[in-house]
Amino acid sequence: MTTSEIMPQLPQSILIIGGGVFGLSTALSLSHRYPTHNITLLEASTTIPNPEGSSVDSSRIVRADYANPAYARLAAAGIERWRTTAWGAEGRYTQNGLVLVYHKSSSGEAGRQGQDDGERYTRASYQNVKRLVNNGDDKIVQFLPDRDAIQKVLPRDVHVAESVAAGYVNWGSGWADAEAGVRYARKKLDELGVVKIRTGQKVSRLLFADQKDRREVTGVQLADGSTLTADLVILATGAWTPGLLDLRGLADARGQVLAYLRLTDEEQAKLAQMPTLLSFSTGMFIIPPRNNELKIARHAYGYRNPTRVRFDSSGAEEAEVSLPETAGRPIPPEGEEACRAALREMLPWLADRPFTKTRVCWYTDTPQGDFLVTYHPDHPNLFLATGGSGHAYKFFPVLGDKIVDALEGKLEEDLQRLWRWPAQRTTTTSFVTKDGSRSGRKDMILKEEYARGLKL
């Protein structure tokens, strides 16, 4: 059954759950296409941006550098919006370039596999983005065949680790102020006035027309016991989605480390114009500082936070899934050491500086790192817009249109193939995201890493 056969036209009442990138972008697109519909957006936090969400800190990489051509094309369209429209105005987007590197192979099969993934992903990204961006100008995307070539495109105060083998620079990439972008999207929705936005509304479960059949979703129950009904429910709840719906084997919350440190005015000036530096072999990246604050983070396999939940939409009495931890603790010692090690390699003069703050940022990972933008096969009026896998923010200006295309059954074939509900599903408590851009340990449990740190 195709999407168009499921729901060729959108019903009058629509409920969007979640006020992050997926929810806000969907709401914006629906506002333009269905200005007379009854559309409501619920956000669990009392504010948008949600301080516990993934898109609330200072910066996100904006790149068309993907090994998959479909994502590369969509990201290039997004970058054009960041560059040329109000989306990127007032400092919300900065085009500073991106240096992607991979490292020399380490000894041992496990190390070799990780290094090969980084090299393959980097080289495939280079080929895709070169065709998209260069347009005959080889100065925009340049292959950097060795460590010395990489060092030449970086400020002298940024070092290239001895283990780096090669990479490339894309001067057409940049970064976005994540929180400012979310605030801008909320402002646009307020100005359009189509979508009713209700904050401080945490959803506790889905409601069904028939408790035995559990097929037609009629709405949601909120944490305070009240209910809301709609003909179409869109789950855009990010890393919290696996707690509302049985997505075992399809989506899982994973925590990633990020840390900040303060810079002097002189240090800010040294690094302000540097390109973003990202290694797909180690997952570590550094984004240029703003307002005397430098961010270092890791895009890796991440931490799981196993949690026992009950699903209203499955026969399982209770199941274990990974959900975000919201205790607000600093990152585990393992994560801090990873950030310190990266600083020792890239910015050794900052390696021992105290972090002003650290945070675990929660992704909604999927097995291949693809988004999950599709109708639920068992609930025809329930639509999922989730599975960002740590790389959705860059698509913010164009993502909503693609989500609504999927709602209407007219999403282009390559994206539909990537974002559809899988034909086969493995119900497992855990999986490894195999998108080629991850590295590091695959078995980290958040509470175990905190406990291990206490023993050190």
Side-chain angles (χ1 to χ4, degrees):
M1 183 179 289
T2 65
T3 303
S4 59
E5 291 173 330
I6 294 174
M7 189 169 287
Q9 294 182 344
L10 301 192
Q12 186 67 29
S13 65
I14 302 173
L15 185 60
I16 304 169
I17 315 300
V21 167
F22 281 89
L24 292 173
S25 63
T26 301
L28 283 169
S29 185
L30 287 173
S31 294
H32 290 292
R33 297 195 202 183
Y34 297 90
T36 62
H37 275 46
N38 179 15
I39 306 169
T40 301
L41 184 148
L42 301 182
E43 167 54 48
S45 170
T46 57
T47 61
I48 296 178
N50 182 339
E52 295 178 351
S54 61
S55 300
V56 296
D57 68 302
S58 60
S59 51
R60 287 291 182 275
I61 298 174
V62 176
R63 59 180 172 93
D65 305 82
Y66 277 90
N68 187 308
Y71 284 116
R73 288 193 301 271
L74 184 60
I79 289 174
E80 186 64 19
R81 294 269 185 96
W82 285 112
R83 286 176 181 152
T84 62
T85 72
W87 275 97
E90 300 176 325
R92 287 186 287 272
Y93 174 70
T94 301
Q95 187 164 309
N96 63 304
L98 170 66
V99 174
L100 284 130
V101 303
Y102 59 89
H103 290 230
K104 300 171 186 175
S105 299
S106 59
S107 60
E109 187 59 32
R112 177 69 205 171
Q113 181 65 36
Q115 305 301 330
D116 284 348
D117 284 348
E119 179 177 351
R120 279 194 295 267
Y121 195 99
T122 303
R123 287 184 175 273
S125 297
Y126 168 70
Q127 294 298 333
N128 285 333
V129 80
K130 183 176 67 171
R131 287 190 291 268
L132 279 169
V133 174
N134 269 1
N135 296 321
D137 183 0
D138 290 337
K139 294 181 179 179
I140 299 177
V141 179
Q142 307 164 26
F143 190 74
L144 306 171
D146 52 38
R147 179 172 173 269
D148 289 341
I150 296 169
Q151 188 67 69
K152 289 178 181 178
V153 302
L154 295 170
R156 64 181 182 180
D157 296 291
V158 180
H159 296 191
V160 180
E162 293 286 345
S163 59
V164 168
Y168 72 91
V169 61
N170 177 4
W171 295 111
S173 293
W175 62 276
D177 184 327
E179 182 174 346
V182 172
R183 293 188 185 282
Y184 172 72
R186 166 67 194 266
K187 180 171 179 277
K188 287 186 68 174
L189 280 173
D190 288 341
E191 291 170 350
L192 290 168
V194 175
V195 176
K196 304 178 187 70
I197 299 176
R198 295 177 54 176
T199 57
Q201 306 291 309
K202 184 177 180 180
V203 171
S204 60
R205 66 186 183 96
L206 300 175
L207 299 176
F208 298 91
D210 187 322
Q211 287 302 308
K212 290 184 178 180
D213 178 71
R214 288 186 179 273
R215 180 167 174 79
E216 181 186 355
V217 176
T218 59
V220 296
Q221 179 175 305
L222 303 179
D224 63 5
S226 62
T227 61
L228 285 173
T229 60
D231 297 321
L232 171 63
V233 176
I234 301 172
L235 278 186
T237 38
W240 285 266
T241 312
L244 292 171
L245 195 66
D246 188 353
L247 296 178
R248 287 173 293 170
L250 299 179
D252 208 20
R254 304 293 171 92
Q256 306 287 342
V257 299
L258 57 88
Y260 290 89
L261 51 82
R262 295 294 300 173
L263 300 179
T264 66
D265 291 342
E266 181 182 3
E267 291 165 343
Q268 167 72 37
K270 285 181 181 180
L271 301 177
Q273 303 305 316
M274 69 172 283
T276 298
L277 184 57
L278 167 62
S279 169
F280 279 132
S281 293
T282 67
M284 303 305 302
F285 63 92
I286 293 179
I287 294 178
R290 178 175 286 185
N291 300 326
N292 297 83
E293 187 175 61
L294 180 74
K295 172 183 173 180
I296 181 168
R298 182 174 66 187
H299 173 75
Y301 294 111
Y303 307 116
R304 295 188 74 248
N305 183 39
T307 307
R308 304 296 294 182
V309 299
R310 292 183 182 273
F311 298 118
D312 283 331
S313 58
S314 78
E317 287 294 318
E318 194 176 62
E320 180 186 282
V321 300
S322 179
L323 292 176
E325 185 199 63
T326 57
R329 291 189 286 181
I331 59 178
E334 176 278 333
E336 180 168 349
E337 175 51 32
C339 293
R340 291 282 176 211
L343 285 171
R344 285 193 291 270
E345 287 187 343
M346 295 183 278
L347 299 168
W349 44 285
L350 293 174
D352 297 323
R353 185 162 302 179
F355 291 133
T356 55
K357 59 183 176 181
T358 64
R359 179 172 180 257
V360 177
C361 177
W362 291 94
Y363 292 179
T364 324
D365 271 355
T366 63
Q368 302 299 325
D370 295 319
F371 305 158
L372 191 61
V373 179
T374 180
Y375 286 95
H376 194 289
D378 298 328
H379 313 295
N381 63 328
L382 177 65
F383 188 88
L384 286 87
T386 187
S389 300
H391 67 106
Y393 189 91
K394 65 182 69 62
F395 303 104
F396 207 168
V398 295
L399 182 59
D401 287 341
K402 299 304 178 184
I403 293 172
V404 178
D405 284 348
L407 280 162
E408 296 173 337
K410 60 185 183 184
L411 182 66
E412 51 259 50
E413 186 176 345
D414 55 355
L415 292 178
Q416 187 180 101
R417 186 169 55 252
L418 291 170
W419 297 351
R420 67 189 175 191
W421 190 274
Q424 293 184 332
R425 173 184 177 183
T426 302
T427 54
T428 177
T429 57
S430 180
F431 58 80
V432 174
T433 300
K434 298 178 180 178
D435 63 355
S437 73
R438 307 299 178 97
S439 63
R441 285 171 49 196
K442 300 177 181 179
D443 59 348
M444 289 193 292
I445 303 298
L446 185 64
K447 65 179 181 181
E448 292 178 1
E449 294 306 320
Y450 281 123
R452 186 174 289 115
L454 292 175
K455 295 176 181 178
L456 296 179

Short mmCIF file of all heavy atoms in Angstrom, two decimals, residues 402-453:
data_model
loop_
_atom_site.label_atom_id
_atom_site.label_comp_id
_atom_site.label_asym_id
_atom_site.label_seq_id
_atom_site.Cartn_x
_atom_site.Cartn_y
_atom_site.Cartn_z
N LYS A 402 9.13 18.69 2.63
CA LYS A 402 9.27 17.28 2.30
C LYS A 402 8.38 16.41 3.17
O LYS A 402 7.82 15.40 2.72
CB LYS A 402 10.73 16.85 2.43
CG LYS A 402 11.67 17.59 1.49
CD LYS A 402 11.25 17.47 0.04
CE LYS A 402 12.16 18.24 -0.89
NZ LYS A 402 11.68 18.19 -2.30
N ILE A 403 8.24 16.78 4.44
CA ILE A 403 7.37 16.03 5.34
C ILE A 403 5.92 16.11 4.87
O ILE A 403 5.20 15.11 4.82
CB ILE A 403 7.52 16.53 6.78
CG1 ILE A 403 8.91 16.19 7.32
CG2 ILE A 403 6.43 15.93 7.68
CD1 ILE A 403 9.22 16.81 8.67
N VAL A 404 5.48 17.30 4.48
CA VAL A 404 4.10 17.45 4.00
C VAL A 404 3.92 16.78 2.65
O VAL A 404 2.86 16.23 2.36
CB VAL A 404 3.69 18.94 3.98
CG1 VAL A 404 2.28 19.10 3.43
CG2 VAL A 404 3.76 19.52 5.39
N ASP A 405 4.97 16.79 1.82
CA ASP A 405 4.90 15.99 0.58
C ASP A 405 4.63 14.52 0.92
O ASP A 405 3.83 13.86 0.25
CB ASP A 405 6.22 16.10 -0.19
CG ASP A 405 6.38 17.42 -0.92
OD1 ASP A 405 5.39 18.17 -1.02
OD2 ASP A 405 7.50 17.70 -1.38
N ALA A 406 5.31 14.02 1.94
CA ALA A 406 5.10 12.62 2.35
C ALA A 406 3.68 12.43 2.88
O ALA A 406 3.04 11.41 2.61
CB ALA A 406 6.12 12.22 3.39
N LEU A 407 3.18 13.39 3.63
CA LEU A 407 1.81 13.32 4.12
C LEU A 407 0.81 13.24 2.98
O LEU A 407 -0.19 12.52 3.05
CB LEU A 407 1.51 14.55 4.99
CG LEU A 407 2.02 14.54 6.43
CD1 LEU A 407 2.04 15.95 6.99
CD2 LEU A 407 1.13 13.65 7.29
N GLU A 408 1.10 13.98 1.90
CA GLU A 408 0.20 14.04 0.75
C GLU A 408 0.44 12.91 -0.25
O GLU A 408 -0.30 12.79 -1.23
CB GLU A 408 0.36 15.38 0.05
CG GLU A 408 -0.06 16.57 0.91
CD GLU A 408 0.26 17.90 0.26
OE1 GLU A 408 1.16 17.96 -0.61
OE2 GLU A 408 -0.38 18.91 0.61
N GLY A 409 1.49 12.10 0.00
CA GLY A 409 1.76 10.98 -0.90
C GLY A 409 2.49 11.35 -2.16
O GLY A 409 2.42 10.63 -3.17
N LYS A 410 3.23 12.47 -2.15
CA LYS A 410 3.93 12.88 -3.37
C LYS A 410 5.42 13.16 -3.13
O LYS A 410 6.04 13.88 -3.90
CB LYS A 410 3.25 14.10 -3.97
CG LYS A 410 3.22 15.33 -3.08
CD LYS A 410 2.42 16.45 -3.74
CE LYS A 410 2.43 17.73 -2.90
NZ LYS A 410 1.59 18.79 -3.49
N LEU A 411 5.98 12.58 -2.10
CA LEU A 411 7.41 12.73 -1.84
C LEU A 411 8.19 12.02 -2.93
O LEU A 411 7.83 10.92 -3.35
CB LEU A 411 7.76 12.14 -0.48
CG LEU A 411 9.21 12.24 -0.01
CD1 LEU A 411 9.60 13.70 0.22
CD2 LEU A 411 9.42 11.43 1.27
N GLU A 412 9.29 12.65 -3.39
CA GLU A 412 10.09 12.03 -4.45
C GLU A 412 10.60 10.67 -4.03
O GLU A 412 10.83 10.38 -2.86
CB GLU A 412 11.24 12.93 -4.89
CG GLU A 412 12.11 13.45 -3.79
CD GLU A 412 11.76 14.89 -3.43
OE1 GLU A 412 10.57 15.16 -3.21
OE2 GLU A 412 12.68 15.73 -3.37
N GLU A 413 10.80 9.82 -5.03
CA GLU A 413 11.02 8.40 -4.77
C GLU A 413 12.25 8.12 -3.93
O GLU A 413 12.22 7.24 -3.06
CB GLU A 413 11.12 7.66 -6.11
CG GLU A 413 11.20 6.15 -5.95
CD GLU A 413 11.20 5.44 -7.28
OE1 GLU A 413 10.86 6.08 -8.30
OE2 GLU A 413 11.55 4.25 -7.32
N ASP A 414 13.36 8.84 -4.18
CA ASP A 414 14.57 8.51 -3.42
C ASP A 414 14.42 8.81 -1.94
O ASP A 414 14.85 8.03 -1.09
CB ASP A 414 15.80 9.22 -4.01
CG ASP A 414 15.64 10.73 -4.11
OD1 ASP A 414 14.55 11.26 -3.81
OD2 ASP A 414 16.62 11.40 -4.49
N LEU A 415 13.77 9.93 -1.59
CA LEU A 415 13.54 10.23 -0.18
C LEU A 415 12.49 9.32 0.42
O LEU A 415 12.60 8.90 1.58
CB LEU A 415 13.12 11.70 -0.02
CG LEU A 415 14.20 12.74 -0.33
CD1 LEU A 415 13.64 14.15 -0.17
CD2 LEU A 415 15.44 12.55 0.53
N GLN A 416 11.46 8.99 -0.34
CA GLN A 416 10.45 8.06 0.16
C GLN A 416 11.07 6.72 0.49
O GLN A 416 10.73 6.10 1.51
CB GLN A 416 9.34 7.89 -0.88
CG GLN A 416 8.16 7.07 -0.39
CD GLN A 416 7.11 6.92 -1.45
OE1 GLN A 416 7.00 5.89 -2.11
NE2 GLN A 416 6.32 7.97 -1.64
N ARG A 417 11.99 6.28 -0.34
CA ARG A 417 12.66 5.00 -0.10
C ARG A 417 13.51 5.06 1.17
O ARG A 417 13.57 4.10 1.93
CB ARG A 417 13.52 4.65 -1.31
CG ARG A 417 14.16 3.27 -1.25
CD ARG A 417 14.78 2.89 -2.58
NE ARG A 417 15.74 3.86 -3.04
CZ ARG A 417 15.53 4.69 -4.08
NH1 ARG A 417 14.37 4.66 -4.74
NH2 ARG A 417 16.45 5.56 -4.44
N LEU A 418 14.16 6.16 1.43
CA LEU A 418 15.00 6.31 2.61
C LEU A 418 14.18 6.44 3.89
O LEU A 418 14.60 5.96 4.94
CB LEU A 418 15.91 7.53 2.47
CG LEU A 418 17.03 7.47 1.43
CD1 LEU A 418 17.66 8.84 1.25
CD2 LEU A 418 18.07 6.45 1.83
N TRP A 419 13.04 7.11 3.82
CA TRP A 419 12.31 7.51 5.02
C TRP A 419 11.10 6.63 5.32
O TRP A 419 10.41 6.87 6.31
CB TRP A 419 11.83 8.96 4.88
CG TRP A 419 12.95 9.95 4.75
CD1 TRP A 419 14.28 9.72 4.92
CD2 TRP A 419 12.82 11.34 4.44
NE1 TRP A 419 15.00 10.88 4.73
CE2 TRP A 419 14.13 11.90 4.42
CE3 TRP A 419 11.74 12.18 4.15
CZ2 TRP A 419 14.38 13.24 4.15
CZ3 TRP A 419 11.98 13.52 3.87
CH2 TRP A 419 13.28 14.04 3.88
N ARG A 420 10.82 5.64 4.52
CA ARG A 420 9.62 4.84 4.70
C ARG A 420 9.76 3.86 5.87
O ARG A 420 10.86 3.59 6.35
CB ARG A 420 9.31 4.06 3.42
CG ARG A 420 10.35 3.00 3.10
CD ARG A 420 10.11 2.43 1.71
NE ARG A 420 11.17 1.48 1.35
CZ ARG A 420 11.34 0.99 0.12
NH1 ARG A 420 10.50 1.37 -0.85
NH2 ARG A 420 12.31 0.14 -0.13
N TRP A 421 8.64 3.30 6.28
CA TRP A 421 8.63 2.25 7.29
C TRP A 421 9.28 1.02 6.68
O TRP A 421 8.90 0.59 5.59
CB TRP A 421 7.20 1.95 7.70
CG TRP A 421 7.07 1.06 8.88
CD1 TRP A 421 7.08 -0.31 8.87
CD2 TRP A 421 6.93 1.45 10.26
NE1 TRP A 421 6.95 -0.78 10.15
CE2 TRP A 421 6.85 0.27 11.02
CE3 TRP A 421 6.86 2.68 10.91
CZ2 TRP A 421 6.69 0.29 12.40
CZ3 TRP A 421 6.71 2.69 12.27
CH2 TRP A 421 6.62 1.52 13.02
N PRO A 422 10.27 0.42 7.35
CA PRO A 422 10.99 -0.70 6.75
C PRO A 422 10.07 -1.90 6.47
O PRO A 422 9.12 -2.16 7.21
CB PRO A 422 12.03 -1.07 7.81
CG PRO A 422 12.18 0.17 8.65
CD PRO A 422 10.83 0.82 8.65
N ALA A 423 10.38 -2.60 5.39
CA ALA A 423 9.60 -3.78 5.03
C ALA A 423 9.77 -4.88 6.07
O ALA A 423 8.83 -5.63 6.36
CB ALA A 423 10.02 -4.30 3.65
N GLN A 424 10.97 -4.97 6.63
CA GLN A 424 11.25 -5.94 7.68
C GLN A 424 11.72 -5.20 8.92
O GLN A 424 12.48 -4.25 8.84
CB GLN A 424 12.31 -6.95 7.25
CG GLN A 424 11.85 -7.87 6.13
CD GLN A 424 12.89 -8.91 5.80
OE1 GLN A 424 14.09 -8.70 5.99
NE2 GLN A 424 12.44 -10.04 5.29
N ARG A 425 11.25 -5.70 10.06
CA ARG A 425 11.57 -5.02 11.31
C ARG A 425 12.06 -6.03 12.33
O ARG A 425 11.44 -7.08 12.51
CB ARG A 425 10.33 -4.29 11.83
CG ARG A 425 10.51 -3.69 13.22
CD ARG A 425 9.21 -3.08 13.69
NE ARG A 425 9.31 -2.54 15.03
CZ ARG A 425 8.30 -2.01 15.69
NH1 ARG A 425 7.11 -1.95 15.14
NH2 ARG A 425 8.47 -1.55 16.91
N THR A 426 13.15 -5.71 12.98
CA THR A 426 13.68 -6.54 14.04
C THR A 426 13.37 -5.89 15.37
O THR A 426 13.81 -4.77 15.64
CB THR A 426 15.20 -6.73 13.90
OG1 THR A 426 15.48 -7.32 12.64
CG2 THR A 426 15.74 -7.62 15.00
N THR A 427 12.59 -6.54 16.19
CA THR A 427 12.27 -5.98 17.51
C THR A 427 13.38 -6.37 18.47
O THR A 427 13.41 -7.48 18.99
CB THR A 427 10.92 -6.50 18.02
OG1 THR A 427 10.93 -7.92 17.98
CG2 THR A 427 9.78 -5.97 17.18
N THR A 428 14.29 -5.48 18.68
CA THR A 428 15.43 -5.72 19.54
C THR A 428 15.60 -4.54 20.48
O THR A 428 15.14 -3.43 20.18
CB THR A 428 16.71 -5.92 18.71
OG1 THR A 428 17.82 -6.08 19.59
CG2 THR A 428 16.97 -4.74 17.80
N THR A 429 16.24 -4.77 21.60
CA THR A 429 16.42 -3.68 22.55
C THR A 429 17.48 -2.69 22.11
O THR A 429 17.56 -1.58 22.62
CB THR A 429 16.81 -4.23 23.94
OG1 THR A 429 18.01 -5.00 23.80
CG2 THR A 429 15.70 -5.10 24.49
N SER A 430 18.30 -3.06 21.14
CA SER A 430 19.39 -2.18 20.73
C SER A 430 19.80 -2.48 19.31
O SER A 430 19.59 -3.58 18.80
CB SER A 430 20.59 -2.37 21.67
OG SER A 430 21.66 -1.52 21.29
N PHE A 431 20.36 -1.49 18.64
CA PHE A 431 20.96 -1.66 17.32
C PHE A 431 22.09 -0.67 17.19
O PHE A 431 22.23 0.26 17.99
CB PHE A 431 19.92 -1.46 16.20
CG PHE A 431 19.25 -0.11 16.22
CD1 PHE A 431 19.87 1.02 15.70
CD2 PHE A 431 17.99 0.04 16.80
CE1 PHE A 431 19.26 2.25 15.73
CE2 PHE A 431 17.37 1.28 16.84
CZ PHE A 431 18.00 2.39 16.30
N VAL A 432 22.91 -0.85 16.18
CA VAL A 432 24.02 0.05 15.91
C VAL A 432 23.71 0.83 14.64
O VAL A 432 23.33 0.25 13.62
CB VAL A 432 25.34 -0.73 15.74
CG1 VAL A 432 26.46 0.21 15.30
CG2 VAL A 432 25.71 -1.42 17.05
N THR A 433 23.82 2.16 14.70
CA THR A 433 23.57 2.99 13.53
C THR A 433 24.73 2.86 12.54
O THR A 433 25.85 3.26 12.84
CB THR A 433 23.39 4.46 13.94
OG1 THR A 433 22.28 4.57 14.81
CG2 THR A 433 23.14 5.34 12.71
N LYS A 434 24.43 2.32 11.38
CA LYS A 434 25.47 2.05 10.37
C LYS A 434 25.28 2.98 9.19
O LYS A 434 24.85 2.58 8.11
CB LYS A 434 25.40 0.59 9.93
CG LYS A 434 25.67 -0.40 11.05
CD LYS A 434 25.54 -1.84 10.57
CE LYS A 434 25.81 -2.82 11.70
NZ LYS A 434 25.64 -4.23 11.28
N ASP A 435 25.58 4.25 9.40
CA ASP A 435 25.48 5.22 8.31
C ASP A 435 26.83 5.64 7.77
O ASP A 435 26.92 6.48 6.89
CB ASP A 435 24.69 6.45 8.76
CG ASP A 435 25.36 7.23 9.88
OD1 ASP A 435 26.41 6.76 10.39
OD2 ASP A 435 24.86 8.30 10.25
N GLY A 436 27.91 5.03 8.29
CA GLY A 436 29.25 5.34 7.81
C GLY A 436 29.91 6.52 8.48
O GLY A 436 31.11 6.75 8.29
N SER A 437 29.15 7.29 9.26
CA SER A 437 29.72 8.50 9.88
C SER A 437 29.98 8.34 11.37
O SER A 437 30.35 9.30 12.03
CB SER A 437 28.77 9.69 9.67
OG SER A 437 27.62 9.57 10.48
N ARG A 438 29.78 7.14 11.92
CA ARG A 438 29.93 6.92 13.35
C ARG A 438 31.24 6.21 13.66
O ARG A 438 31.82 5.54 12.81
CB ARG A 438 28.77 6.09 13.90
CG ARG A 438 27.38 6.63 13.57
CD ARG A 438 27.13 8.02 14.12
NE ARG A 438 25.82 8.51 13.75
CZ ARG A 438 24.75 8.44 14.53
NH1 ARG A 438 24.84 7.89 15.72
NH2 ARG A 438 23.59 8.90 14.12
N SER A 439 31.66 6.35 14.90
CA SER A 439 32.91 5.71 15.33
C SER A 439 32.85 5.50 16.84
O SER A 439 31.88 5.88 17.50
CB SER A 439 34.11 6.60 14.97
OG SER A 439 34.03 7.83 15.67
N GLY A 440 33.92 4.90 17.39
CA GLY A 440 34.02 4.72 18.82
C GLY A 440 33.37 3.44 19.31
O GLY A 440 33.06 2.53 18.54
N ARG A 441 33.15 3.38 20.62
CA ARG A 441 32.53 2.20 21.24
C ARG A 441 31.05 2.12 20.89
O ARG A 441 30.37 3.13 20.79
CB ARG A 441 32.72 2.25 22.75
CG ARG A 441 34.13 1.92 23.21
CD ARG A 441 34.30 2.20 24.69
NE ARG A 441 33.22 1.61 25.48
CZ ARG A 441 32.97 1.95 26.74
NH1 ARG A 441 33.70 2.88 27.33
NH2 ARG A 441 31.99 1.36 27.41
N LYS A 442 30.58 0.89 20.76
CA LYS A 442 29.20 0.66 20.37
C LYS A 442 28.31 0.20 21.52
O LYS A 442 27.13 -0.03 21.31
CB LYS A 442 29.15 -0.38 19.24
CG LYS A 442 29.91 0.02 18.00
CD LYS A 442 29.87 -1.09 16.96
CE LYS A 442 30.66 -0.71 15.72
NZ LYS A 442 30.65 -1.79 14.70
N ASP A 443 28.86 0.05 22.68
CA ASP A 443 28.12 -0.60 23.76
C ASP A 443 27.99 0.27 25.01
O ASP A 443 27.78 -0.25 26.10
CB ASP A 443 28.83 -1.90 24.14
CG ASP A 443 30.28 -1.66 24.59
OD1 ASP A 443 30.78 -0.55 24.38
OD2 ASP A 443 30.90 -2.60 25.14
N MET A 444 28.08 1.56 24.89
CA MET A 444 28.12 2.40 26.08
C MET A 444 26.72 2.63 26.66
O MET A 444 25.80 3.05 25.94
CB MET A 444 28.79 3.73 25.78
CG MET A 444 30.28 3.61 25.54
SD MET A 444 31.13 5.21 25.55
CE MET A 444 30.47 5.95 24.05
N ILE A 445 26.57 2.37 27.94
CA ILE A 445 25.35 2.63 28.70
C ILE A 445 25.63 3.82 29.61
O ILE A 445 26.61 3.83 30.35
CB ILE A 445 24.93 1.41 29.54
CG1 ILE A 445 24.76 0.19 28.64
CG2 ILE A 445 23.66 1.71 30.31
CD1 ILE A 445 23.66 0.32 27.60
N LEU A 446 24.78 4.82 29.55
CA LEU A 446 25.05 6.08 30.24
C LEU A 446 25.32 5.88 31.73
O LEU A 446 26.32 6.36 32.26
CB LEU A 446 23.88 7.04 30.04
CG LEU A 446 24.09 8.44 30.62
CD1 LEU A 446 25.23 9.17 29.92
CD2 LEU A 446 22.80 9.26 30.52
N LYS A 447 24.46 5.17 32.43
CA LYS A 447 24.63 5.01 33.88
C LYS A 447 25.91 4.25 34.20
O LYS A 447 26.55 4.50 35.24
CB LYS A 447 23.42 4.33 34.50
CG LYS A 447 23.18 2.90 34.08
CD LYS A 447 21.96 2.33 34.80
CE LYS A 447 21.70 0.88 34.40
NZ LYS A 447 20.50 0.34 35.09
N GLU A 448 26.31 3.32 33.33
CA GLU A 448 27.54 2.58 33.56
C GLU A 448 28.76 3.48 33.40
O GLU A 448 29.75 3.33 34.12
CB GLU A 448 27.62 1.40 32.61
CG GLU A 448 26.58 0.32 32.88
CD GLU A 448 26.64 -0.82 31.89
OE1 GLU A 448 27.53 -0.77 30.99
OE2 GLU A 448 25.83 -1.76 32.00
N GLU A 449 28.70 4.40 32.47
CA GLU A 449 29.82 5.33 32.28
C GLU A 449 29.93 6.30 33.45
O GLU A 449 31.04 6.65 33.87
CB GLU A 449 29.67 6.09 30.95
CG GLU A 449 29.78 5.21 29.73
CD GLU A 449 31.07 4.39 29.71
OE1 GLU A 449 32.13 4.94 30.09
OE2 GLU A 449 31.01 3.21 29.35
N TYR A 450 28.81 6.74 33.99
CA TYR A 450 28.88 7.56 35.20
C TYR A 450 29.45 6.77 36.36
O TYR A 450 30.31 7.26 37.12
CB TYR A 450 27.47 8.08 35.57
CG TYR A 450 27.01 9.26 34.76
CD1 TYR A 450 25.82 9.20 34.04
CD2 TYR A 450 27.75 10.43 34.72
CE1 TYR A 450 25.38 10.29 33.29
CE2 TYR A 450 27.31 11.53 33.98
CZ TYR A 450 26.13 11.45 33.27
OH TYR A 450 25.71 12.52 32.54
N ALA A 451 29.00 5.52 36.51
CA ALA A 451 29.49 4.68 37.60
C ALA A 451 30.97 4.38 37.45
O ALA A 451 31.74 4.40 38.43
CB ALA A 451 28.70 3.36 37.65
N ARG A 452 31.40 4.13 36.22
CA ARG A 452 32.83 3.86 35.98
C ARG A 452 33.66 5.10 36.34
O ARG A 452 34.76 4.98 36.88
CB ARG A 452 33.02 3.49 34.52
CG ARG A 452 34.46 3.03 34.19
CD ARG A 452 34.56 2.54 32.75
NE ARG A 452 33.88 1.26 32.60
CZ ARG A 452 32.82 1.06 31.85
NH1 ARG A 452 32.27 2.08 31.19
NH2 ARG A 452 32.27 -0.13 31.76
N GLY A 453 33.12 6.26 36.06
CA GLY A 453 33.85 7.48 36.40
C GLY A 453 34.02 7.67 37.89
O GLY A 453 35.03 8.18 38.35
#
